[in-house]
Amino acid sequence: GMATGSGLTTEAWLEPRGEGQALVVRLRRPASAPPAPRAPLRLTLVVDRSASMQRVWPDVVVLAEALLATLAPTDEVQVVGIATGGRVLRPLGPLGDGASVRAALRAGDVAGGPNHEAGLELAWASATAGVRSRVVVITDGVPNEGAFLPEELGPRAGEVLAASGCTTTVVGLGSQFDAPLLRAIAASGGGGYHVGESARLAPALSAELAGALAAPAEGPHVELALPAGLDVAGDAVGFTLEGRTATATVAPMAPGAERRLVL
């Protein structure tokens, strides 16, 4: 049979296979098909608001603007400040025109700290399985409150990644930050590790985010109801059998890609 939908063409046919037959299902996305709509992103900016950040704050603004320019108005953004403890400066919600995010960056208190653990836990709390999530931490220093060891916060970032798929990217500005700690968070959290003196980090940071966004949404799902009296023997390539139903969840397919499933 033939069926089309969402730019995907499906063909199915029978082939002789041993003493029986094989049902072959071919999925194709034409090379001319437009890319599938990307999944929305949930981004949390965790910005160090301790007193030492005053001197590099213009760089923070440039980095934040580079990230916002990569997003769509429908992507969700949250801003968390870390100083003495953590504080949500802008609740999670659609980016829109970005005005509320920029206002939150201007409004953050400058005091004490920083407490990286408190800010990260607020950010990670918004991560949900099935929703593409990313945390970006921007700091210039060493935590003096909360957990501060690589073997504490690194594994925690890994736990969040495993549980929800949320990645954690780290930006270290200047030269006084705790490099082992930040490197451990990024490595275990599956994100990038960007360090340097200024906003010249912006292209690499926005490129990382753009690359993550370019990954397509989930692939097609195929479900076959098997008629009574039909037995399945041998390989089920790509299919999972449960009772009289064969299902397959296919990896995302770019334009021009083809997949074959065999039952």
Side-chain angles (χ1 to χ4, degrees), residues 224 226 231-236 238-248 263:
L224 301 176
L226 305 178
D231 293 323
V232 176
D235 294 331
F239 283 106
T240 298
L241 296 175
E242 185 172 345
R244 308 302 303 170
T245 303
T247 60
L263 189 64

Side-chain angles (χ1 to χ4, degrees), residues 194-245:
H194 306 271
V195 296
E197 292 288 342
S198 71
R200 283 179 290 183
L201 297 173
L205 187 61
S206 59
E208 180 192 342
L209 183 58
L213 290 172
E218 66 180 36
H221 181 76
V222 179
E223 183 172 309
L224 301 176
L226 305 178
L230 184 147
D231 293 323
V232 176
D235 294 331
V237 182
F239 283 106
T240 298
L241 296 175
E242 185 172 345
R244 308 302 303 170
T245 303

Side-chain angles (χ1 to χ4, degrees), residues 164-178:
S164 66
C166 175
T167 60
T168 303
T169 290
V170 176
V171 179
L173 290 175
S175 59
Q176 302 301 312
F177 50 82
D178 187 335

